[in-house]
Amino acid sequence: GQKGLKSSAGNYPMTRNSENLSLDLKAPSEAQPGTAFNQDPTPIGEVKRFPAPSPVITETSPEAPSINPRHACFRLEIRSSKIHRWGVYASEDIPARRKVMEYTGERISRKETKRRSDEQDRVVYLFTLDSYWTLDGAVGGSGAEYFNHSCDPNIVAVIRQGHILYLSRRPIQRGEELTFDYHFAKDVPKVPCCCGNTACRGTINLK
């Protein structure tokens, strides 16, 4: 199992009847949080993920990941993805500009973030909360850590009052995979993109 203390974050109230949100869907400035710890500041919404060898786990295996409904506003499920490993899918239609889910995990310091990112034999889900704190979705994650990257996403990630929220950019149909743009920095090693969209820029990195 995963080791470490559970995050003190992740109790942000999220209800299905919450009001519509007025979102600025433009790329935030490079001064905002939301980056991997060891990269230059990049737009909000970056998650650092590294594939690692793992045993074969199917969707029906007891070890298969699942959604924590406490942090989801709509019915969601985790299934295998054509983009990368696992993905999160809508089990019902989701209107535009609504809270969909919160990204939770163990809250760790910058020093601990660096140590965990250097570990080789596990998948790493690190989402920078601010200049000091990072959430590790591998420990106490809500399932939001399985949202894959897309160059034409249907989700946007925002940080509000110390919480990372995933919001719908447009109406999402039942059965669609939920994705957002990781916004990897330009000046770090290029990571090929497998989103398959016509708007795909070829890499997860910004150009």
Side-chain angles (χ1 to χ4, degrees):
Q2 301 289 352
K3 295 181 179 179
L5 300 175
K6 281 195 172 183
S7 168
S8 58
N11 296 316
Y12 194 84
M14 300 184 68
T15 64
R16 291 172 54 85
N17 297 321
S18 55
E19 72 285 356
N20 289 347
L21 300 172
S22 177
L23 303 180
D24 179 1
L25 300 181
K26 298 178 182 178
S29 71
E30 294 192 350
Q32 292 180 290
T35 67
F37 85 98
N38 60 348
Q39 299 177 2
D40 291 337
T42 55
I44 197 170
E46 179 151 330
V47 176
K48 187 173 183 181
R49 293 176 66 166
F50 296 102
S54 61
V56 176
I57 299 176
T58 66
E59 295 173 21
T60 57
S61 300
E63 301 86 356
S66 61
I67 295 292
N68 183 339
R70 179 185 177 191
H71 300 292
C73 295
F74 296 88
R75 292 196 301 274
L76 309 173
E77 61 180 333
I78 296 177
R79 307 199 308 260
S80 59
S81 170
K82 293 180 180 179
I83 299 176
H84 181 258
R85 294 169 61 91
W86 300 100
V88 179
Y89 294 81
S91 296
E92 62 179 318
D93 292 344
I94 300 174
R97 310 170 92 80
R98 297 290 296 276
K99 297 176 186 176
V100 175
M101 194 171 193
E102 179 176 356
Y103 188 104
T104 67
E106 183 183 3
R107 189 183 295 239
I108 58 176
S109 67
R110 192 176 182 90
K111 181 177 179 180
E112 179 62 11
T113 299
K114 184 178 189 310
R115 187 190 71 78
R116 294 189 189 185
S117 72
D118 291 337
E119 292 182 358
Q120 298 298 315
D121 296 325
R122 73 181 185 109
V123 178
V124 180
Y125 300 101
L126 300 175
F127 201 132
T128 300
L129 186 59
D130 55 34
S131 60
Y132 185 78
W133 295 109
T134 295
L135 294 187
D136 184 354
V139 183
S142 60
E145 65 272 19
Y146 293 101
F147 278 55
N148 279 316
H149 163 85
S150 174
C151 297
D152 186 20
N154 50 25
I155 294 291
V156 62
V158 299
I159 296 177
R160 292 187 176 176
Q161 300 178 351
H163 296 266
I164 301 169
L165 305 179
Y166 286 176
L167 314 174
S168 54
R169 299 179 71 242
R170 59 166 176 80
I172 299 171
Q173 295 183 347
R174 178 182 178 181
E176 268 192 81
E177 182 173 1
L178 306 183
T179 59
F180 75 101
D181 194 328
Y182 285 10
H183 287 132
F184 279 11
K186 302 175 184 178
D187 54 353
V188 299
K190 302 298 182 186
V191 179
C193 178
C194 301
C195 72
N197 283 294
T198 55
C200 180
R201 57 181 179 258
T203 68
I204 294 178
N205 308 69
L206 296 170
K207 294 194 180 243

